[in-house]
Amino acid sequence: MEDLLTWPLILLLSGTLLGVGGYFGVRMDEEHIAQMAAQNAARTAAVTNDQQTIVQAAQATVTGSGAPATWNGQPAISPSDVQIQTEDNGQLITAQVTYHAPVVFPQLMRWLGVSSGWTQPITATATYYNELGNGSPGAVSLSNSTNNGTGNGTSGLASPQNTSFSVSLAVTGPASATTFLNGQSVQITATANHDVSMAPGDALQIYDQSTGQWLGMPTFSGTSDTVTVSGNNESDTFVAYIAPWGTTSGAVAQSAPLTLQWISPSQLASMIQVSATAYPGTAPGVATPQGAPAGSWTAQTQNGTNNQVWNNESVEITASLPSSVYTAGGSLSVFNASTGQPLTGPGSPTDTNQAYAMVSQQASGSPLTQTFGAQWTWNGQTYTTPSSNDVQVIWEPNNSFQLGLANNGGTITLTATATFPLQGQNANGGYTYYAYLYNQSLMQWYQPQGITTTSNQVSWSFSQSQYAGDYFVAYLESSSTPVLGSYPQSGAQPPLESNQQAIYTVTLTAQGDSTDNNVTLTATSNLPLNGHTMSIVNLTTGQVIASTTQGTTLTTTVQATPQQTTQYQAQIN
């Protein structure tokens, strides 16, 4: 029983000692710090001969790594720990740096509450070749210009003190996008405007703000740094820095944030925008080719608004993904959500970011309403747009345009009336149509007048005698500039063509009988009655005493009453 009680304790103590022991001796982290400090010192010495600047570059490496700059009251790298030698007329620079690393790694020491302890020197050597040369060791560079000043200088090689650095961060593959499907790998590249070796002690590096991690390896020489990132149902923000390795403190330059997101195929389907564009003037059922300009009666429809179109009118259904989404490997298509049937048409689908098809419907008796959506296919599975993204199109069979006529004391008034619903709105607000009156007898157009959904009736007035015998017809169009001889148009509506109206004149004569009091009344029209009624009315009593819908004359007999006056009038309605 005693053995069973002590055994777990032995395991616990052994595990703790093993954990502590793992921090004794030289660790790879500490060796890496020493090596990077030597590299930074060599690069800095290639730019300047100032010993203090070279030492600071080596010390900045320790600070940037997160390790303490001092330990037990002594610097981790002192000035005497940095030695620089040059060869080949100052072109080959060799830096030897001794890093006094804590024997126990500082994270563990802080956990144990220990602020001092043993250190172990770790020496690393690095070389850097500068084709321009930098003079002899210890010579201080007083100028980086190419003028006639004295001193060894850098022969035109800029130093960080007077070099303005900038850095940008962008997606460089597989496409310039910001939204990707889950698991897709993305290359992002940081680009500096100058070689980062001109900033001694600093590196070009990419930082993930969302996770707090540095990505890839830092670049100490060159102008670019590329890493590959990926994600799953997440959004990450990245920033590029030119700063001491492993830290944002003391950055020489930083880029604007770059935010990338990874989404599921179902999320992608919810981002698809579906729209419908009407193409009037086409023959029933005939599609307008992709790329053709929309007709003047175009009405944009989005999410079920402003969606009434003419009967038989061709409508293009378009599904689009935002350009910021990378969708290679999938396919986009449109479908009739009312019937569940896919739509086919010219170029459907056109590419992975847009698909379209032309549809045309015949409505009979009552409006025909259909809903259209989009589908995204990825890895053999199909994802459908939510109903809130779909569009509705109504083919309206009951649009009409009628022309009426009234005669008021010899003044003829022709009134055109549009029966809505038509397209009442477009992207710019209220839609205005134009009513035209056409004199078929004289082949003459009259001033067009605007018709809207709230004001659907317009009139023209003429002298009856001026146009007696002429035939008129009205047209409803969207253009305010008629083309002589182009009306009426054939094919699907528009324009809408009204019924025909003629300017009639009628005369009334009376012929008495010498043998009795009978009087023969004869009404005569200037045109054959075509859909109109000619009547003789007793104005004294208000009664119609005779009428006809055919021919040009109407005759009836009335009896005159002695000593009494009776008035009669002929009318065409």
Side-chain angles (χ1 to χ4, degrees):
M1 187 67 173
E2 182 178 352
D3 291 340
L4 292 175
L5 290 174
T6 58
W7 179 245
L9 180 61
I10 293 171
L11 286 177
L12 175 62
L13 292 175
S14 298
T16 302
L17 291 174
L18 286 172
V20 174
Y23 285 98
F24 285 87
V26 178
R27 289 170 47 88
M28 290 298 294
D29 294 327
E30 293 146 324
E31 288 183 342
H32 187 64
I33 292 173
Q35 186 62 48
M36 296 304 294
Q39 291 181 13
N40 284 340
R43 290 190 180 95
T44 304
V47 177
T48 177
N49 293 322
D50 184 72
Q51 186 69 16
Q52 182 179 357
T53 302
I54 298 171
V55 172
Q56 288 175 348
Q59 292 173 336
T61 307
V62 179
T63 305
S65 70
T70 61
W71 191 254
N72 199 23
Q74 298 297 321
I77 298 177
S78 64
S80 61
D81 293 324
V82 180
Q83 303 295 323
I84 302 295
Q85 292 183 352
T86 60
E87 301 177 56
D88 295 341
N89 195 27
Q91 291 181 309
L92 180 62
I93 298 96
T94 302
Q96 179 177 291
V97 175
T98 300
Y99 167 48
H100 299 275
V103 173
V104 180
F105 205 62
Q107 285 88 336
L108 177 61
M109 298 301 291
R110 283 194 291 270
W111 178 68
L112 295 175
V114 178
S115 59
S116 64
W118 303 291
T119 60
Q120 178 176 346
I122 304 173
T123 300
T125 302
T127 60
Y128 190 85
Y129 192 80
N130 179 8
E131 293 182 355
L132 297 177
N134 198 34
S136 58
V140 178
S141 174
L142 299 177
S143 172
N144 73 328
S145 63
T146 57
N147 59 21
N148 296 324
T150 59
N152 292 323
T154 58
S155 301
L157 184 62
S159 64
Q161 286 83 357
N162 45 26
T163 299
S164 177
F165 282 93
S166 64
V167 61
S168 61
L169 185 62
V171 175
T172 53
S176 180
T178 56
T179 301
F180 302 86
L181 288 171
N182 286 336
Q184 285 183 329
S185 296
V186 182
Q187 280 189 341
I188 58 176
T189 299
T191 304
N193 63 331
H194 296 295
D195 193 315
V196 292
S197 64
M198 297 166 62
D202 292 319
L204 178 60
Q205 47 200 329
I206 300 175
Y207 182 66
D208 187 340
Q209 286 186 336
S210 304
T211 62
Q213 294 180 339
W214 292 99
L215 306 179
M217 293 298 295
T219 297
F220 288 94
S221 178
T223 59
S224 66
D225 184 24
T226 299
V227 298
T228 300
V229 294
S230 183
N232 186 52
N233 294 322
E234 62 184 277
S235 177
D236 290 344
T237 299
F238 307 93
V239 180
Y241 290 91
I242 299 177
W245 174 55
T247 179
T248 61
S249 177
V252 174
Q254 73 179 68
S255 71
L258 172 64
T259 299
L260 305 180
Q261 64 173 342
W262 286 266
I263 60 175
S264 66
S266 58
Q267 287 177 289
L268 178 63
S270 68
M271 299 172 66
I272 299 173
Q273 296 295 315
V274 186
S275 62
T277 303
Y279 284 83
T282 56
V286 177
T288 300
Q290 171 69 4
S296 57
W297 283 71
T298 297
Q300 296 291 339
T301 67
Q302 179 64 47
N303 298 334
T305 61
N306 311 325
N307 55 0
Q308 294 164 336
V309 294
W310 302 94
N311 198 18
N312 284 327
E313 189 172 8
S314 293
V315 176
E316 181 183 76
I317 308 298
T318 303
S320 301
L321 277 168
S323 58
S324 60
V325 179
Y326 176 69
T327 57
S331 62
L332 182 64
S333 61
V334 287
F335 77 109
N336 188 326
S338 299
T339 64
Q341 297 299 312
L343 298 178
T344 58
S348 177
T350 57
D351 53 42
T352 57
N353 279 76
Q354 187 179 72
Y356 65 93
M358 302 294 294
V359 292
S360 180
Q361 296 293 342
Q362 170 69 48
S364 177
S366 59
L368 176 63
T369 301
Q370 290 190 334
T371 302
F372 301 93
Q375 293 178 328
W376 170 255
T377 301
W378 175 261
N379 287 340
Q381 296 189 10
T382 298
Y383 304 87
T384 302
T385 52
S387 58
S388 59
N389 284 25
D390 295 344
V391 294
Q392 205 175 62
V393 180
I394 303 173
W395 279 269
E396 177 61 59
N398 297 321
N399 299 324
S400 66
F401 192 51
Q402 296 295 321
L403 183 64
L405 184 148
N407 187 344
N408 184 15
T411 299
I412 298 298
T413 300
L414 292 164
T415 300
T417 303
T419 302
F420 291 92
L422 301 171
Q423 292 120 321
Q425 296 280 328
N426 66 5
N428 298 318
Y431 210 99
T432 299
Y433 307 99
Y434 295 91
Y436 296 93
L437 185 65
Y438 183 58
N439 188 322
Q440 292 178 313
S441 302
L442 299 179
M443 299 179 62
Q444 179 179 348
W445 291 97
Y446 299 90
Q447 181 68 35
Q449 300 189 57
I451 283 184
T452 66
T453 52
T454 56
S455 179
N456 66 332
Q457 194 175 76
V458 294
S459 298
W460 298 264
S461 294
F462 308 104
S463 169
Q464 181 184 28
S465 60
Q466 182 181 3
Y467 293 108
D470 291 351
Y471 288 89
F472 289 83
V473 66
Y475 296 95
L476 189 62
E477 247 288 8
S478 63
S479 171
S480 60
T481 306
V483 179
L484 188 62
S486 64
Y487 300 91
Q489 292 181 354
S490 60
Q493 299 168 339
L496 285 180
E497 180 180 351
S498 76
N499 56 303
Q500 186 186 74
Q501 288 284 7
I503 305 299
Y504 286 89
T505 60
V506 60
T507 59
L508 182 63
T509 61
Q511 179 66 48
D513 191 329
S514 59
T515 61
D516 52 30
N517 293 327
N518 289 338
V519 178
T520 299
L521 301 176
T522 301
T524 304
S525 169
N526 64 329
L527 297 172
L529 299 175
N530 183 13
H532 295 274
T533 300
M534 183 164 56
S535 306
I536 299 177
V537 181
N538 184 331
L539 294 180
T540 303
T541 63
Q543 292 179 331
V544 175
I545 60 175
S547 63
T548 184
T549 58
Q550 296 178 352
T552 59
T553 60
L554 172 65
T555 301
T556 188
T557 301
V558 296
Q559 190 174 47
T561 302
Q563 308 300 320
Q564 182 176 339
T565 299
T566 304
Q567 289 185 328
Y568 297 90
Q569 185 181 66
Q571 298 177 353
I572 295 179
N573 299 311

